[in-house]
């Protein structure tokens, strides 16, 4: 098997295993179940994954890549800072709507180390991207020059991280899309110059039509 064939087979496995996890749940889907449903041998499965934790982690990373591709990131970067913030808002809402709470509970309870690593990776990505976007907004004249980037990035990252906790999602009184939209709008408005506010209001008006 060539390197490209091996890569293609692994991608297919990740996609199919992801479907199994969505259908049956992380906890209820064993390595034996994966082999049975996908009609592959254990030897084949263990060529690509060392154990169940490894399967779960790689599937979650695969999902993340599918939800936010390099092409989408590049497309975002061609927008201005306010448009990027609103694109992030829509992306987060879409991601939450496509998550299965059972899988989120299972990930945290039965694969805690994987859960911790994935959270840390997400926070590092958000931290870096958010910092870049603030710099872009300041250069465009849409964001205030006196913004404390580190504090603002920390607050936003923590708010998004909390919304990813399954226990919180079962207790909140409002739909996730309302929570995310409110957090994003409050964050954006706290950044804006006069020119930035004018730009935001035009976009909101256009979205409402």
């Amino acid at each position: 098997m060539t390197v490209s064939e091996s890569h293609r087979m692994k991608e297919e496995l990740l996609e199919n295993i992801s479907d199994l996890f969505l259908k049956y749940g992380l906890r209820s889907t064993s390595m034996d179940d994966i082999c049975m449903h996908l009609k592959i041998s254990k030897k084949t499965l263990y060529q690509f994954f060392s154990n169940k934790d490894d399967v779960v982690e790689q599937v979650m990373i695969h999902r993340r890549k599918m939800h936010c591709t390099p092409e989408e990131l590049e497309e975002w970067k061609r927008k201005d800072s306010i448009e990027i913030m609103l694109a992030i808002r829509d992306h987060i809402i879409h991601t939450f709507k496509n998550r299965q709470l059972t899988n989120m509970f299972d990930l945290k309870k039965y694969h805690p180390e994987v859960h911790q690593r994935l959270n840390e990776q997400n926070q590092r990505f958000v931290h870096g991207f958010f910092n870049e976007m603030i710099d872009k907004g300041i250069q465009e004249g849409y964001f205030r020059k006196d913004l404390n980037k580190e504090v603002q990035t920390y607050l936003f990252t923590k708010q998004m991280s909390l919304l990813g906790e399954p226990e919180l999602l079962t207790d909140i009184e409002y739909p996730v899309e309302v929570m995310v939209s409110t957090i994003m709008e409050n964050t954006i408005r706290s950044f804006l110059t006069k020119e930035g506010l004018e730009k935001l209001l035009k976009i909101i008006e256009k979205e409402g039509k």
Side-chain angles (χ1 to χ4, degrees):
M1 185 182 295
T2 65
V3 173
S4 61
E5 288 172 339
S6 178
H7 176 75
R8 185 166 58 251
M9 183 174 182
K10 185 172 182 179
E11 289 295 303
E12 289 175 359
L13 283 173
L14 288 169
E15 189 64 29
N16 289 325
I17 295 169
S18 178
D19 291 341
L20 289 177
F21 284 160
L22 288 172
K23 186 173 182 179
Y24 300 108
L26 296 181
R27 182 188 179 192
S28 301
T29 307
S30 67
M31 299 293 269
D32 286 334
D33 293 329
I34 292 170
C35 292
M36 180 184 69
H37 283 285
L38 301 187
K39 296 181 172 56
I40 59 174
S41 67
K42 277 193 173 182
K43 181 180 178 181
T44 298
L45 185 62
Y46 282 103
Q47 283 178 348
F48 297 98
F49 310 102
S50 56
N51 52 41
K52 177 74 176 291
D53 263 6
D54 189 29
V55 173
V56 170
E57 185 164 3
Q58 292 201 48
V59 165
M60 294 304 171
I61 292 172
H62 174 76
R63 286 183 188 173
R64 182 198 297 156
K65 289 178 180 177
M66 293 300 100
H67 287 149
C68 190
T69 65
E71 292 76 19
E72 287 174 315
L73 284 174
E74 286 305 311
E75 184 179 342
W76 284 1
K77 289 179 180 179
R78 287 193 288 270
K79 300 175 183 289
D80 67 49
S81 52
I82 297 174
E83 291 170 336
I84 291 173
M85 290 279 277
L86 296 175
I88 292 172
R89 173 201 64 188
D90 295 340
H91 172 75
I92 293 172
I93 289 172
H94 175 75
T95 300
F96 274 115
K97 281 184 174 180
N98 285 278
R99 283 187 179 180
Q100 190 180 71
L101 266 181
T102 303
N103 274 341
M104 293 173 69
F105 275 113
D106 286 353
L107 177 62
K108 187 173 183 179
K109 184 172 181 178
Y110 300 105
H111 306 277
E113 293 181 359
V114 174
H115 178 265
Q116 180 67 24
R117 283 196 297 272
L118 291 173
N119 266 354
E120 290 173 356
Q121 290 170 18
N122 286 336
Q123 288 187 36
R124 283 196 298 271
F125 171 77
V126 171
H127 188 278
F129 191 81
F130 210 68
N131 263 300
E132 285 182 30
M133 188 201 53
I134 290 175
D135 285 337
K136 182 180 177 71
I138 291 172
Q139 291 170 4
E140 293 166 341
Y142 291 147
F143 292 171
R144 294 182 291 105
K145 292 181 180 179
D146 61 348
L147 278 177
N148 188 323
K149 286 198 305 178
E150 287 302 315
V151 172
Q152 293 288 358
T153 301
Y154 175 82
L155 289 173
F156 179 76
T157 303
K158 288 301 179 184
Q159 288 179 93
M160 290 299 103
S161 179
L162 282 173
L163 279 180
E165 293 296 327
E167 297 88 351
L168 178 63
L169 290 179
T170 59
D171 292 335
I172 59 174
E173 298 180 12
Y174 304 98
V176 170
E177 57 265 32
V178 173
M179 300 288 288
V180 172
S181 292
T182 301
I183 289 171
M184 291 300 299
E185 184 169 336
N186 288 345
T187 301
I188 295 171
R189 285 179 179 271
S190 73
F191 289 2
L192 297 178
T193 60
K194 180 181 176 182
E195 292 76 16
L197 181 59
E198 290 173 355
K199 169 81 175 182
L200 175 65
L201 294 177
K202 286 180 182 178
I203 295 173
I204 290 175
E205 182 182 0
K206 188 176 180 180
E207 285 183 338
K209 290 182 180 179

